[in-house]
Amino acid sequence: VAVINLRTDSIYWKWNFTDSILEHERIFHPLLLPDKSLVYSFNGKNLTRVDSLGNIIWNQDSIWPHHSKELDADGNIVLSTYPKVYHGTAFFKQEGKAVYFKDEYITKVDTETGEVLYDKSMAAILAENDLTSHLLKSGNFSDPIHTNDVQPALKTTAYYEKDDLFISAKNLSAILQFRPSTGEV
């Protein structure tokens, strides 16, 4: 992983993980922190923070990160995660049969310790806001939500409050404004 000056094509800082990564494996969506430490997931499993020299600060193995990692106004990491199974983490009933699908979670992790501070199912968020019908409207029954990005609001404006989350749900063709403090979409 490298921080590159695109104007000069020079490398500002670099972390080398070649000793532990096979050719077909990769680091997913690294997040650079102000102290030159790096938070990343390896092959989409676990969440790890290393210092500027690549030494492990913490490893959070209870979640599987999915796509981007962002910092909220308090410096915590907000991201979309999966439970530690690949498929069938939730279900709905259709015509008397259970239809299993891959649920995702909105997760907040303490940047300093790696502790999970918040973890909420997207299916539960939709259910609590009477929006479960959107799961059935998705074009992908096994992955009806597919959260690509979670952007925390860093300040309060006339349209949103600090700590609201803007959630990009690819297979719902929607961006949801979610307020964790009240549970409202």
Side-chain angles (χ1 to χ4, degrees), residues 13 23 62 93 101 107 126 164 171 176:
W13 202 260
E23 187 175 325
S62 70
K93 289 192 176 186
F101 64 93
T107 306
L126 292 172
D164 280 2
N171 291 341
L176 307 173

Side-chain angles (χ1 to χ4, degrees), residues 101 103 120-135 144-145 169 172 176 178 183 185:
F101 64 93
D103 193 4
K120 181 81 171 181
S121 155
M122 280 295 298
I125 291 169
L126 292 172
E128 291 166 7
N129 286 276
D130 295 322
L131 296 170
T132 52
S133 62
H134 290 280
L135 294 173
I145 304 166
L172 295 179
L176 307 173
F178 175 59
V185 170

Side-chain angles (χ1 to χ4, degrees), residues 1-2 13-21 27 30-32 35-40 42 47-59:
V1 176
W13 202 260
K14 187 176 182 178
W15 297 262
N16 190 346
F17 298 101
T18 58
D19 293 341
S20 60
I21 298 179
I27 299 289
L31 172 66
L32 178 63
D35 66 354
K36 289 191 204 169
S37 64
L38 192 72
V39 177
Y40 66 91
F42 174 67
L47 187 67
T48 303
R49 180 177 176 190
V50 296
D51 66 17
S52 62
L53 302 175
N55 301 308
I56 294 176
I57 297 171
W58 51 256
N59 183 46

